[in-house]
Each structure stands twice: as structure tokens, then as C-alpha cells.
Amino acid sequence: MMNCREIAQQVYGLAENPNDPLAPLVKEALEVIDHCLDTHRQDGVAISFNGGKDCTVLLHLYAGALARRLGPNEEMKPIHAIYIPVPSPFEVLEEFIEESRKVYNLDLFSCRPEATQVESVITPNVAEGVSYDYVSRPHAVGKSKGGEGMRQALQRYKDRFPHITAILIGTRRTDPHGATLSHRNMTDPGWPEFERVNPVINWDYSHVWTFLRQLKVPYCSLYDQGYTSLGSTYNTFPNPALLIQPSSTASPLLSPGTALTQFLSSTHTEPQSPEEDALLSPSTALSSFMTSIHTHPNGSSASVAAKLNGTNNAANSSATPTPKIDTKLPPRYLPAYELKDGSLERSGRGLVPALAPA
């Protein structure tokens, strides 16, 4: 179990360090938490914890804020927490949540709604026949199908714990629906009544990783495998911006645009007649190529690889052979903290159109 008094010294010490660029944001977040506790008291506050990087930062800050209020001989009470799972969560993520429950002494209530979708925002599929690289691909837009599931989960929590009046949430300004939020907002009409408290709303992607690594805060191991934003296994993949190119002589990162160019140059160097084979659209080609070099949860990449290697493609008989792809070695990714452009944080969500749910 964490020594929360040491955490308090750590985070409040960082907040007051005039030489640390992270200090103002840490100080701001702790002040928001302290004001929330002044208003609602610990017994009226819960933290929303799903194992992601942002709420891991928030949990560490919150534990420090609670410990700082303890008397000399007073022991930490369990920390009220709510977990609202997405459909088909990653097993390793749920293991991290359980470990965090023990380490931080969480009174964690897992609130699985009846609705099948609870993610706050969906990521749209790339339309067939339209070419996007993963940098300029469309972001999540429109109304979420998961709103009702989230509302049901919060209602169950309110019914079970009516004394909880505020929930700490790790939402940041760059998150979907985060742009218009302030540090403290009430839930919308028609939703269970809680004050939503967002202490890290003004943090960006790099601030999160600086905090976690500088303070050596444990985080989910998926982030060391190239994942930068975690959701359901249905729509969450390693971030292609962190893909390490197998060739030691080339650039360490294989951009999707480069992958598409290489693949299309090998299959479209000579005009094909309609009788020979159907032409591949850029998006289909890119989807097939990236699927073949990504770990495929359903194990169907072998058939795609076979096509790309020419075993099931009429173009194999053309003058320009399709390049062989080594499917024996799994793709490797840099860890999440190596991502330099925070705007690409969600580029691994809904990444492979052929696999993403409709």
C-alpha cells in the first residue's frame, strides 16, 4: 500500500518548486481538489477511475491531498471510487485497476450499466474510397451512442451511494467534450446530480507523462506497448505514430503515408484490366497493409499477409512482384511517453477500418 503521507510531501513539494515548469499546473490541480473537499468533505467525494493515464495522475494527486489533511495519528480512510467499464475492456487494464485498488486503498465500486455502450465518444470509421493518413484522419464527432450507458451507470452509483455529491474526473481540455468545461460543473439536466470536478482540465498530453515519470507513479503497462489512449478492445490499437520500422537502415517510424505509397507502387505500377483483378482503393490498401503488420486480435492477419505476399493475388504474375512482408516478427512500438505531438493522442482509436465496429 502506498504511503500517502509521502505522496503528500511529494506532490505539494512539486507544487511549490519555483524551478519546475510543471509546478503551476500541480498547484492548480491541488487547489481545485482542496476546494472540492472543503465543499463536500471526503465522505461526499468519489474519484472516477478507469485505469487510464489521466485518472492515474488524478488519483495520485487526490491521495496526496487527503493525506495532507490527516492529523498526526490519524489513518487514511478508504478512497471512494467508481469504475464504469467499457465493453470488452483490456484484461491487463483491469488487472492494473485491481492493483491500484489495493495500492491506494480504494473503495472501488464497479458499475456495469445495462446498455452495451458506455464510451463517452465514438471514433468514426474512415469511409471506403477516401484516403486519410493517421495524422489527418477524422476525429470523433457527433453524439455518442454511449451516453445512455454512462447515465445509467451514474444513476446506479447515486442510488447505491446517495451521500456522494461530487466526482473527481481526469478530463482534460483536449479530450472530447472537454473544451467547454471548467474546473467544476454540475451534471446536465436529466442526469444524476453530481458536481463534476476536473482538476487537470488544463493539462496537456506531455504534462501527464512528465508527472507520471518524474514522480515514478505506476501506470498501466499498455502505455509501454504503444497505446496512447485506452478504450475498448474493439476500437483501441497501438498508436501508428509510434510504430518502429523493422528496417535498421530506414527511419525508426513507418508513417502510414509511406506504407501506402510503398504498397500501391508495388501493385499499381502497370495498368490492370478489369478482368485481371479489382483495383484496390487507397483506403482498402492501407487498411490491408496496416492490418498485416499490426497484431490482429482475431488472428485474421495471415490471410491478408498471404494476399500481400502474392499467394492469392492475380497480380503475382505481373512483371513487378509484390514485396514480401515478414509476418513472423510482431510490430514494435515506442512507449506512449515518446509521442511528441499530443494532437495525435487518439490516433490509435478506431485505427483499422476493417476491424472497427460500424
Side-chain angles (χ1 to χ4, degrees):
M1 186 178 297
M2 287 277 191
N3 185 328
C4 290
R5 292 181 186 272
E6 291 184 357
I7 294 177
Q9 294 177 353
Q10 182 187 53
V11 296
Y12 281 92
L14 173 57
E16 299 300 329
N17 185 348
N19 299 317
D20 196 314
L22 197 60
L25 287 170
V26 173
K27 184 175 183 179
E28 178 185 69
L30 290 171
E31 287 176 349
V32 173
I33 293 171
D34 281 327
H35 291 160
C36 175
L37 289 170
D38 289 342
T39 303
H40 299 274
R41 305 186 313 278
Q42 181 180 353
D43 287 340
V45 178
I47 182 172
S48 177
F49 187 73
N50 64 4
K53 60 188 182 303
D54 302 327
C55 61
T56 298
V57 167
L58 181 57
L59 177 58
H60 203 72
L61 291 168
Y62 185 43
L66 290 173
R68 195 169 189 246
R69 293 169 170 251
L70 296 175
N73 299 316
E74 189 177 359
E75 294 186 359
M76 279 276 290
K77 298 178 182 178
I79 298 175
H80 299 307
I82 176 175
Y83 168 45
I84 304 177
V86 297
S88 186
F90 286 88
E91 182 178 352
V92 67
L93 179 62
E94 296 218 307
E95 291 172 354
F96 172 73
I97 292 171
E98 174 60 20
E99 183 62 25
S100 299
R101 183 190 68 79
K102 298 174 183 176
V103 167
Y104 287 94
N105 192 23
L106 299 181
D107 178 17
L108 183 65
F109 183 73
S110 181
C111 199
R112 298 181 184 272
E114 295 179 1
T116 58
Q117 298 189 33
V118 298
E119 291 195 84
S120 60
V121 172
I122 57 173
T123 302
N125 293 341
V126 175
E128 178 66 23
V130 178
S131 177
Y132 292 105
D133 62 25
Y134 293 135
V135 175
S136 62
R137 71 185 306 278
H139 295 285
V141 294
K143 294 184 178 179
S144 165
K145 297 179 181 178
E148 178 59 22
M150 188 70 70
R151 191 195 67 79
Q152 290 178 7
L154 290 175
Q155 187 63 60
R156 284 187 58 198
Y157 191 67
K158 189 69 171 180
D159 294 342
R160 180 74 175 268
F161 304 99
H163 59 283
I164 299 294
T165 53
I167 297 180
L168 296 168
I169 304 171
T171 299
R172 293 184 287 113
R173 188 78 62 197
T174 55
D175 290 337
H177 305 312
T180 60
L181 295 179
S182 63
H183 284 117
R184 300 174 72 167
N185 304 91
M186 293 302 299
T187 49
D188 297 333
W191 283 62
E193 188 172 327
F194 293 103
E195 183 174 29
R196 298 173 296 171
V197 184
N198 309 297
V200 297
I201 190 70
N202 291 324
W203 293 42
D204 64 25
Y205 183 85
S206 64
H207 296 142
V208 169
W209 282 111
T210 298
F211 181 91
L212 291 174
R213 301 188 71 220
Q214 183 172 317
L215 274 61
K216 297 180 172 59
V217 180
Y219 56 83
C220 179
S221 61
L222 287 172
Y223 290 115
D224 288 332
Q225 301 172 31
Y227 293 84
T228 54
S229 177
L230 301 182
S232 168
T233 59
Y234 297 141
N235 68 356
T236 304
F237 300 85
N239 194 319
L242 295 174
L243 181 64
I244 301 174
Q245 187 173 356
S247 173
S248 60
T249 60
S251 170
L253 296 181
L254 176 63
S255 72
T258 300
L260 179 58
T261 300
Q262 291 177 351
F263 179 70
L264 289 181
S265 66
S266 68
T267 59
H268 291 70
T269 51
E270 296 183 2
Q272 291 177 309
S273 65
E275 295 81 17
E276 287 184 290
D277 202 355
L279 293 177
L280 292 176
S281 70
S283 62
T284 301
L286 178 57
S287 173
S288 299
F289 182 82
M290 297 305 286
T291 299
S292 71
I293 62 173
H294 280 70
T295 301
H296 195 305
N298 297 323
S300 62
S301 62
S303 61
V304 177
K307 292 180 180 180
L308 294 176
N309 284 330
T311 58
N312 189 29
N313 194 334
N316 188 48
S317 60
S318 64
T320 304
T322 301
K324 304 295 183 180
I325 296 176
D326 186 359
T327 59
K328 296 179 181 178
L329 296 177
R332 295 188 302 121
Y333 296 83
L334 296 171
Y337 56 79
E338 295 285 359
L339 184 67
K340 304 307 179 185
D341 185 351
S343 68
L344 303 182
E345 176 183 356
R346 292 180 63 84
S347 294
R349 301 294 291 273
L351 182 145
V352 182
L355 304 181

